[in-house]
Amino acid sequence: MSAGGRAPFDRGACLVEEMNSTVDKLKLSVTILFIVAAGAWFGAPLLTRGQGQMLLTEPIAALPWRSNKPFKEAGYVGNQACAECHATEFDSYHRTAMARALQLPADSEVLRARQRLTFRVGPYRYEIVRRGEESIYTVSDGNKVISVPIRYSFGQGKAGQTYILQYNGAFYESRVSYYREIDGLDFTIGYPRTVPSSLEDALGRAISMDEARSCFGCHATAAVAGRSLQLENLMPGVGCEACHGPGRDHITAAEAGRFNDLRIFNPKRLSADALTQEFCGSCHRSAEDVLSLPQQGGINNVRFQPYRIFTSRGHDPNDPRLSCTACHNPHEHLRQDTAFYDARCTVCHRSMASLRSPALAKTESAQGRTAKACPVKAQDCVSCHMPKVEIPGAHFKFTDHRMRIAREGEPFPN
Ligand code: HEC
Ligand code: HEC
Ligand code: HEC
Ligand code: HEC
Ligand code: HEC
Ligand code: HEC
Ligand code: HEC
């Protein structure tokens, strides 16, 4: 990989080896990214914006499977172009949250379905009103008014949705967000629940170019090239090419039958640790990211699954049976039935019946099920050992990926 971790994405599978050998450099860039990503949904509770801006040296496009080239040269083709040959992945992908991680207001289901959303704090009144294909975000203090169209809606809205506005030539993150649980507006997570100091402060928070690059880098495709934001080319959501790199050369190679040089990145070839921590962790936050923070995030850490798994006592992060893809197929909608996950645990843990039968315990161990059995229950493992945790103000219970014996009333283990 070239200096600073900026390998252009053009060498197909051989990148995998390079990637493993340059994990340290990559970790550095991902860490820095994390620190700068002071978006209230992630970073703001952890540190101040000023610090973040100082620390940024590498944009998200520096990750080796991403392209650093300007849009045209990079060779993006869009999700639809993959459909013809990869119907299985393509068909289920549309239902995923990641596919809808960013939407234009014209397409946002939450905004389309709501004519008017309101919120009030102190003298400030908020309104999001639907007008044709647009949604207009308005805040007033009784005398003055700021009224701007929503430019981008972030998040499919499973927990909530935050809006990016443009005002006085800068991007603003909306101070209020939509939350599914209350089907209405409330303060964006991470903001103090106090009366804003001015109308402009009530509108939201101006975000720097560096931060905008991080936000769009995680929620959209082809929006960032090197250090520049190329929003005119943005493809909403985490598309095929956000994870696999631009597809043009691959399609040419596939059509020409060059199967030994397919020119597309397949994360399957990464080690379990690299897949979890570096690949999924580049957006979901790795252990390295969280541990290197000056102050660690407390309960907000529950959202950083790679970190939580890494700190699960007794669980080896290098074991492929614990990588993100052991439980989640990134091309499919999240499974929410607890029974689905049992087999993901019992691939290592012995059965309850084995506690009473040494012979069974021996057979299971021989099959690789060497971890202890549960003395309490034989099903629905995750319902007790991966508890759901509510972050104050998030109106949502996140799944704690730190697998453990969770005792009632215990403090959140950081
Ligand atoms: C013209 C048909 C065609 C199109 C279009 C196409 N692919 Fe492929 N792709 C193939 C073939 C053939 C293979 C090799 C056999 C297989 O894995 O299915 C392949 C393999 C892959 C692999 C695995 C590569 C490896 O080294 O293991 C990935 C990842 C992939 N394609 C992603 C994509 C993405 C993303 C798109 C859209 C940008 C896309 N493909 C578009 C034909 C195509
Ligand atoms: C380019 C950034 C990016 C990468 C890489 C990425 N994710 Fe995501 N992921 C997101 C974003 C953003 C969301 C939030 C989508 C939303 O709810 O709007 C998300 C949401 C999810 C969800 C939640 C689905 C739901 O219905 O709540 C799962 C599960 C998930 N990702 C798994 C993975 C796995 C597994 C990997 C690695 C194979 C991965 N992600 C890699 C950005 C990414
Ligand atoms: C480092 C990558 C990253 C950055 C930067 C980032 N996000 Fe996210 N965001 C994610 C992931 C991953 C999720 C899903 C997991 C979760 O909710 O914790 C998510 C979830 C969300 C959600 C909730 C989605 C839902 O369906 O409930 C919103 C809203 C959101 N982000 C808004 C933003 C905004 C606004 C910014 C920038 C100001 C931003 N994010 C910056 C990765 C990122
Ligand atoms: C969030 C990241 C992410 C997104 C988005 C994504 N993929 Fe993948 N893809 C992966 C991962 C991770 C693997 C390896 C899965 C595994 O280990 O089995 C993969 C594997 C593949 C493979 C190879 C399968 C194999 O058996 O080797 C193909 C083909 C593919 N993806 C196509 C697509 C297409 C087409 C899209 C868009 C419709 C897409 N992917 C979107 C992460 C992603
Ligand atoms: C051993 C199984 C397992 C592994 C490994 C795993 N998850 Fe999960 N994950 C779950 C379960 C169970 C849920 C909750 C499903 C539900 O909604 O009931 C979940 C939910 C999620 C969600 C939705 C938000 C939430 O908090 O509920 C995201 C995002 C996510 N996982 C990301 C990841 C990432 C990234 C990795 C890799 C670091 C990962 N998961 C590894 C089991 C797993
Ligand atoms: C890769 C193998 C593996 C997988 C997959 C796995 N575990 Fe474990 N788990 C272990 C090992 C090894 C230990 C250490 C103690 C032991 O030998 O049982 C452990 C320990 C535990 C503990 C005790 C932790 C403590 O603090 O004492 C619990 C609870 C647990 N696992 C639950 C789960 C659940 C629930 C799942 C599925 C969601 C799961 N594990 C998946 C290997 C695994
Ligand atoms: C109803 C909640 C519940 C469910 C469901 C459950 N467990 Fe447990 N599990 C517990 C409790 C409570 C303990 C602690 C028991 C004790 O310390 O006396 C425990 C202990 C454990 C331990 C530690 C055992 C030891 O000897 O240290 C493991 C491993 C474990 N469970 C795995 C699992 C697996 C795997 C499943 C699914 C097959 C599962 N659990 C389902 C509540 C549950």
Side-chain angles (χ1 to χ4, degrees):
M1 195 194 286
S2 57
R6 287 158 182 266
F9 180 82
D10 58 5
R11 275 164 296 156
C14 65
L15 273 175
V16 174
E17 281 142 45
E18 287 183 55
M19 193 172 158
N20 287 334
S21 69
T22 51
V23 150
D24 287 344
K25 262 193 224 162
L26 183 61
K27 274 188 176 150
L28 182 68
S29 67
V30 173
T31 301
I32 291 164
L33 210 191
F34 174 64
I35 290 170
V36 76
W41 273 86
F42 262 157
L46 307 182
L47 42 75
T48 68
R49 266 159 66 208
Q51 280 172 297
Q53 281 159 7
M54 265 159 38
L55 282 162
L56 182 100
T57 61
E58 291 285 346
I60 190 165
L63 301 173
W65 60 92
R66 295 277 185 118
S67 175
N68 265 328
K69 296 182 187 161
F71 186 75
K72 282 221 175 67
E73 276 172 59
Y76 288 101
V77 293
N79 299 332
Q80 192 65 42
C82 315
E84 188 191 329
C85 305
H86 300 294
T88 314
E89 284 84 3
F90 181 81
D91 292 344
S92 58
Y93 161 80
H94 289 287
R95 287 188 290 279
T96 65
M98 286 191 275
R100 293 175 291 145
L102 181 151
Q103 293 174 314
L104 300 177
D107 305 322
S108 157
E109 293 122 71
V110 168
L111 293 174
R112 289 181 74 91
R114 286 163 188 81
Q115 284 306 314
R116 191 159 174 270
L117 290 159
T118 59
F119 182 69
R120 183 166 200 145
V121 53
Y124 299 103
R125 286 183 57 86
Y126 291 83
E127 233 182 29
I128 296 177
V129 175
R130 192 74 182 163
R131 222 161 53 200
E133 293 292 277
E134 285 192 324
S135 286
I136 313 294
Y137 181 102
T138 302
V139 53
S140 72
D141 62 6
N143 296 313
K144 287 180 282 134
V145 178
I146 301 178
S147 192
V148 286
I150 288 174
R151 292 291 308 274
Y152 301 97
S153 109
F154 269 65
Q156 51 142 356
K158 179 184 182 177
Q161 207 169 66
T162 298
Y163 305 107
I164 298 293
L165 318 162
Q166 218 168 357
Y167 175 66
N168 275 349
F171 280 128
Y172 276 72
E173 179 186 58
S174 61
R175 192 177 186 106
V176 299
S177 291
Y178 169 82
Y179 291 93
R180 175 89 53 198
E181 193 185 76
I182 54 170
D183 190 19
L185 302 177
D186 196 356
F187 283 119
T188 298
I189 182 174
Y191 285 71
R193 305 185 66 82
T194 51
V195 177
S197 59
S198 67
L199 188 62
E200 200 174 309
D201 188 36
L203 178 74
R205 180 174 64 88
I207 56 178
S208 68
M209 217 17 109
D210 285 344
E211 193 186 337
R213 269 201 301 267
S214 310
C215 298
F216 287 100
C218 287
H219 281 260
T221 308
V224 182
R227 299 191 59 83
S228 61
L229 201 55
Q230 35 176 22
L231 293 181
E232 61 286 3
N233 303 313
L234 168 148
M235 301 190 252
V238 181
C240 311
E241 293 167 293
C243 288
H244 292 293
R248 185 183 57 203
D249 293 354
H250 166 60
I251 296 180
T252 309
E255 282 171 348
R258 288 197 297 270
F259 296 117
N260 56 351
D261 184 19
L262 280 167
R263 297 193 159 250
I264 192 94
F265 177 64
N266 189 350
K268 200 181 195 164
R269 302 216 182 84
L270 296 172
S271 69
D273 184 53
L275 180 106
T276 299
Q277 300 297 333
E278 314 306 330
F279 184 78
C280 306
S282 69
C283 296
H284 287 271
R285 311 310 168 84
S286 69
E288 185 88 6
D289 293 339
V290 178
L291 292 171
S292 62
L293 285 170
Q295 310 154 262
Q296 292 175 24
I299 200 165
N300 295 294
N301 285 343
V302 72
R303 297 180 66 188
F304 310 148
Q305 304 87 8
Y307 164 73
R308 298 305 285 171
I309 289 205
F310 185 83
T311 56
S312 299
R313 194 152 65 104
H315 293 98
D316 175 5
N318 294 305
D319 193 312
R321 292 172 296 181
L322 279 166
S323 75
C324 305
T325 46
C327 291
H328 303 300
N329 180 338
H331 313 107
E332 288 176 11
H333 188 61
L334 177 71
R335 297 293 297 253
Q336 300 205 270
D337 40 333
T338 48
F340 167 81
Y341 295 96
D342 289 348
R344 274 77 197 161
C345 309
T346 55
V347 68
C348 292
H349 287 280
R350 284 190 296 270
S351 66
M352 233 171 119
S354 75
L355 288 171
R356 287 178 307 274
S357 161
L360 182 59
K362 215 172 144 204
T363 315
E364 289 181 354
S365 295
Q367 293 164 346
R369 295 170 68 179
T370 50
K372 289 177 187 163
C374 182
V376 176
K377 218 177 152 199
Q379 308 86 28
D380 301 329
C381 317
V382 297
S383 65
C384 295
H385 294 300
M386 291 181 72
K388 305 258 185 204
V389 176
E390 176 136 18
I391 300 179
H395 300 291
F396 186 77
K397 288 195 166 74
F398 292 92
T399 308
D400 195 349
H401 284 63
R402 180 181 295 194
M403 292 163 230
R404 64 178 191 279
I405 300 166
R407 309 275 179 198
E408 188 116 16
E410 68 175 4
F412 178 79
N414 198 20

